[in-house]
Amino acid sequence: MGIMSRRPKDLTPEQLRFVPQSPVRWLSPRTLIDTSMRFGLARVFGGYVDKREIIGGRQQPVYDHSGAEELWFDYVADIGDGFNATYSIAYLMAQEELVVGGERLPRGSMLVMGGDEVYPAGDWLEYEQRMKGPYEAANPASPVALYAIPGNHDWFDGLTAFSRQFTEGRTIGGYRTFQKRSYFALNLPHRWWLFALDAQFDTHLDQNQSDYFRRAAEQLAPGDQVILCVAQPSWLWTSEDPRSFDRIDHFIRDVIAARGASVPLILTGDRHHYSHYAEVDGVRHLVGAGGGGAYLSPTHTLPDEITAPRRSVPEPDAPEREYRLAQTYPSKAKSLSYAFGIFARLPWLNKGFVALMAVVGLVATVSILEGTGTFVAATAVLIAAGIAFAHPGEGRRATRHYILGAIHGIAQAALAWGGSLLIKQADDVAWITYLLYLPIVGLAGTWLVGLYLVVANRLGVNANELFAGMSVIDQKCFLRIRIDRNGATVYPIGLDRAGRRWAANPEGAETDSWIVPVDPLEPRLIEPGFAASHPAPPEQILPRQNPVRRLMSQAGSWLAGR
């Protein structure tokens, strides 16, 4: 069957061959339970059954894209969520060119996906509906090389579905996959390279992966420049966990800088916004671009200055680098304004969560009515639940997590106590009384959670849950990158409003998108394209740290602390 005959005549699932999905409701009880279980299983068993070790035996070269005088490629991450946001970005990337900020930017001949290609968890059906279907519809036939690394959600099934989708030579419309493993290295024009790592749920790279990149690095020459793709922005967490950036820094020093090459640009997703940190008195750029389709993440909580790496006990010789925040998308002011939308969007979009809070509130209220003993027990349970809910996302729990969690639990207990006083005012308490009470306590409890999330978010606690509960599908982004004789130029492209209305395009050309927006999408440059080159001499080659010296340094720190 030819491609022309496959063009859908309308937007029915039968014509599209997939079912467009709504955004994931992250605070619905079903999603909370399912995601928590999958996350826990992935963390527990991932170290024992590491799919990287299984697929690491496959032969994989360094893929050569160095033949062109000028190479354009796109970078996108965190994509496989609701159709409107995911397809809006896929559609923009598939067009022959984009005109933004007075620049004409041609379509990339290569697409790099930076992690979390599907939500809420790695599953073959979710890949089909949330990623493969939209991307095939956006680009049915234009040839583009596709490479991907997994994020934590791709890892939830142990990389099984990810491996089938990206490491077996499959096509997605015009996108063609080549990689055999969950990581890869690319040779780009003009002595540029791209190394993409897979390092989820662990503190090290598996041996097969380490060997692969060391062999790839043998092709590097002094003065070569490497774009490094990683799955998480670990530079954001060094203030609380000085070791968070050590793995990346160790890789740069021992694998890349040891060959006289440099890393002027590091790309990541994981946080669903755009953030650009530029090195102070240096040339390195740290760019987070996780705006491919998932719910928006806040930017108003981002630090203005960071240090990565930081010297730590295991890495006393790490050369500290200072970075300053150059740009965010959305702006910090816009992000903060979104935060207060939680009170309307949380109950409206997560009705199952309201039902859950109704049940919790009713049980707590009845326990209070039963007497002092059950009152104390219910309060203890709510405080424990509040503390469990107050987690850092990344890094370790601090005192503020316990304090905020306990306050939240006490507030929920106080709400139930107030409800018990209200019920006592009724002349005749019957089952209808509790039935009428359910929606009241459910909505009040949900609003209380919203208030807690607003406050906690400002203090660096539950940073994801606030925006996950709102499911904002706007403020999406991706990167279009040019490699030429002048180096690498990064064009961050933002989309203030994702498409909501779509139409089939049955009469389009073979390479035209199957689905087109009814209302034109209006992409723009988040900031002017910036150069990520390294005109200075190659970075100083730092000696690999001697294990004996590292052990002595650790012992010295322990003794000094006694």
Side-chain angles (χ1 to χ4, degrees):
M1 183 179 292
I3 293 179
M4 286 294 290
S5 62
R6 289 198 60 202
R7 297 190 68 85
K9 299 176 182 178
D10 54 50
L11 300 185
T12 61
E14 292 76 16
Q15 287 288 315
L16 294 176
R17 293 176 174 80
F18 71 95
V19 181
Q21 300 292 299
S22 299
V24 175
R25 301 308 182 199
W26 289 101
L27 294 188
S28 72
R30 178 179 178 181
T31 303
L32 284 172
I33 294 172
D34 181 66
T35 304
S36 298
M37 290 179 60
R38 288 174 180 264
F39 179 78
L41 290 172
R43 291 299 298 264
V44 171
F45 294 108
Y48 297 99
V49 184
D50 192 337
K51 187 60 68 69
R52 296 176 305 180
E53 296 179 359
I54 298 174
I55 64 177
R58 300 174 181 174
Q59 294 299 312
Q60 174 170 278
V62 173
Y63 296 99
D64 189 8
H65 293 269
S66 63
E69 178 66 22
E70 179 181 78
L71 174 72
W72 289 84
F73 73 93
D74 292 337
Y75 175 91
V76 69
D78 305 284
I79 62 175
D81 203 320
F83 175 80
N84 286 339
T86 296
Y87 188 77
S88 294
I89 293 299
Y91 175 83
L92 290 177
M93 291 192 298
Q95 305 313 297
E96 276 195 34
E97 69 174 13
L98 296 177
V99 180
V100 287
E103 301 268 6
R104 288 188 173 272
L105 310 180
R107 177 177 54 220
S109 61
M110 184 173 74
L111 172 62
V112 175
M113 292 181 173
D116 284 345
E117 281 77 54
V118 68
Y119 292 97
D123 176 89
W124 73 269
L125 184 58
E126 298 288 9
Y127 276 107
E128 289 285 329
Q129 311 282 35
R130 296 184 181 273
M131 188 279 293
K132 182 177 180 294
Y135 270 74
E136 181 177 19
N139 175 23
S142 297
V144 176
L146 172 62
Y147 299 93
I149 58 173
N152 57 331
H153 291 269
D154 300 291
W155 258 96
F156 280 3
D157 72 337
L159 283 189
T160 299
F162 175 92
S163 298
R164 290 173 180 169
Q165 187 65 67
F166 295 104
T167 70
E168 296 181 357
R170 302 191 180 194
T171 60
I172 302 173
Y175 295 106
R176 170 72 187 278
T177 61
F178 297 94
Q179 68 193 83
K180 302 301 181 183
R181 308 183 188 180
S182 57
Y183 46 87
F184 53 89
L186 309 178
N187 183 6
L188 307 179
H190 307 293
R191 300 176 62 190
W192 279 80
W193 306 75
L194 188 147
F195 285 9
L197 311 182
D198 173 15
Q200 279 296 333
F201 298 137
D202 211 343
T203 58
H204 67 278
L205 299 184
D206 58 286
Q207 190 60 49
N208 287 327
Q209 185 171 184
S210 296
D211 292 343
Y212 171 77
F213 282 112
R214 290 185 187 281
R215 288 194 299 270
E218 292 175 357
Q219 302 181 38
L220 299 177
D224 284 7
Q225 300 179 82
V226 179
I227 299 171
L228 188 63
C229 294
V230 295
Q232 293 180 311
S234 57
W235 49 84
L236 295 178
W237 311 317
T238 56
S239 61
E240 297 188 3
D241 181 9
R243 300 178 59 179
S244 64
F245 193 76
D246 284 358
R247 180 172 52 197
I248 295 176
D249 183 60
H250 192 273
F251 181 86
I252 293 173
R253 292 166 60 188
D254 286 359
V255 177
I256 298 175
R259 305 292 301 182
S262 59
V263 180
L265 179 62
I266 305 179
L267 305 178
T268 191
D270 188 67
R271 293 299 182 261
H272 311 156
H273 55 224
Y274 173 82
S275 63
H276 173 202
Y277 284 89
E279 185 178 3
V280 178
D281 298 326
V283 297
R284 182 174 291 169
H285 300 264
L286 309 177
V287 178
Y295 68 86
L296 183 66
S297 292
T299 59
H300 62 274
T301 56
L302 292 174
D304 292 324
E305 296 182 347
I306 58 175
T307 301
R310 284 183 181 271
R311 292 190 180 94
S312 60
V313 171
E315 296 289 346
D317 292 335
E320 292 189 338
R321 293 172 179 252
E322 305 294 329
Y323 297 86
R324 185 172 295 121
L325 186 61
Q327 186 61 267
T328 68
Y329 182 75
S331 67
K332 288 195 172 188
K334 181 72 171 178
S335 171
L336 184 59
S337 70
Y338 272 125
F340 292 98
I342 188 69
F343 299 105
R345 296 180 68 91
L346 177 58
W348 178 253
L349 297 176
N350 300 274
K351 297 177 179 62
F353 186 76
V354 179
L356 174 64
M357 294 307 299
V359 173
V360 171
L362 178 61
V363 171
T365 301
V366 172
S367 299
I368 292 170
L369 289 171
E370 288 294 318
T372 304
T374 52
F375 182 7
V376 172
T379 301
V381 170
L382 287 172
I383 291 175
I387 293 174
F389 185 63
H391 63 87
E394 299 294 338
R396 300 176 180 177
R397 287 179 183 268
T399 302
R400 67 179 184 275
H401 295 90
Y402 294 97
I403 293 175
L404 284 171
I407 292 174
H408 182 206
I410 292 171
Q412 292 289 352
L415 175 64
W417 177 74
S420 69
L421 295 180
L422 180 64
I423 289 176
K424 286 180 180 179
Q425 300 301 313
D427 295 330
D428 183 21
V429 178
W431 67 270
I432 191 66
T433 307
Y434 294 110
L435 185 63
L436 294 174
Y437 178 67
L438 272 172
I440 297 173
V441 72
L443 189 58
T446 301
W447 280 337
L448 189 55
V449 171
L451 178 61
Y452 160 78
L453 289 174
V454 170
V455 175
N457 180 260
R458 291 293 293 167
L459 298 176
V461 179
N462 290 109
N464 283 332
E465 284 76 8
L466 174 63
F467 276 66
M470 293 189 290
S471 297
V472 176
I473 69 170
D474 297 317
Q475 308 286 299
K476 301 296 111 183
C477 66
F478 69 97
L479 307 178
R480 182 150 288 180
I481 301 174
R482 180 182 66 206
I483 306 290
D484 61 13
R485 289 188 177 276
N486 297 319
T489 306
V490 181
Y491 297 92
I493 298 174
L495 180 65
D496 293 341
R497 181 175 173 79
R500 265 76 166 175
R501 299 193 300 158
W502 308 96
N505 184 24
E507 304 302 325
E510 179 178 320
T511 56
D512 288 348
S513 300
W514 288 349
I515 305 171
V516 295
V518 174
D519 307 304
L521 302 180
E522 299 180 358
R524 65 181 181 89
L525 281 179
I526 296 172
E527 61 178 324
F530 60 89
S533 58
H534 197 293
E539 296 181 15
Q540 178 183 2
I541 302 177
L542 297 171
R544 301 180 185 180
Q545 194 172 4
N546 188 294
V548 176
R549 183 182 178 191
R550 179 177 299 177
L551 181 61
M552 293 177 63
S553 174
Q554 291 175 339
S557 297
W558 293 332
L559 291 172
R562 292 190 175 219

